[in-house]
Amino acid sequence: QVLLVESGGGSVQAGGSLRLSCAAPRAITSVYNPLDMAWYRQAPGKQREMVARVTSAGRTNYADAVMGRFTISRNNARKTVYLQMNNLKDEDTAVYYCNAQGANARDASWGQGTQVTVSS
């Protein structure tokens, strides 16, 4: 299965910022057009949860826990989605996964995951 290509994770102190990027390679875009793109995260011992989502039209929605601190955006021409994370907290520590969804339910892709670690 072809993966989305993620970058930008790392370690930061509480209150700091990180920016994640995720690109859909041609091997994916030649099969389907990513409509909704989203970021999920999974902390140790917890289920994967949606963090933020953006539609192809630019509509966004966020998990309550990150509202006002995280901003999702996308570049449709580059088939890329970004997650700007500000005022990071310890509880934001998790592996972050990018997700893309096409018009058909079977057209879905995930990234390999990128670790974000926040320490106080």
Side-chain angles (χ1 to χ4, degrees):
Q1 185 177 1
V2 180
L3 299 176
L4 299 165
V5 181
E6 302 167 357
S7 62
S11 297
V12 66
Q13 289 191 330
S17 299
L18 284 173
R19 186 181 191 232
L20 306 182
S21 299
C22 168
R26 184 165 178 77
I28 288 177
T29 61
S30 63
V31 176
Y32 71 91
N33 181 33
L35 297 179
D36 288 0
M37 298 190 77
W39 288 95
Y40 287 72
R41 67 185 181 187
Q42 187 166 18
K46 295 187 177 181
Q47 290 188 334
R48 190 174 297 188
E49 61 177 0
M50 195 278 290
V51 175
R53 181 186 307 277
V54 59
T55 69
S56 57
R59 292 190 299 272
T60 59
N61 62 292
Y62 298 89
D64 289 344
V66 307
M67 187 79 69
R69 299 187 297 121
F70 291 11
T71 302
I72 190 169
S73 61
R74 65 187 289 169
N75 183 319
N76 287 332
R78 296 183 177 181
K79 308 298 184 186
T80 301
V81 64
Y82 307 95
L83 186 68
Q84 177 66 43
M85 304 184 293
N86 297 329
N87 190 22
L88 283 159
K89 304 177 180 180
D90 291 356
E91 52 265 39
D92 295 319
T93 295
V95 178
Y96 284 69
Y97 296 91
C98 181
N99 172 264
Q101 180 70 53
N104 296 315
R106 65 176 181 272
D107 292 333
S109 306
W110 289 93
Q112 78 280 6
T114 184
Q115 178 69 47
V116 171
T117 302
V118 184
S119 58
S120 55

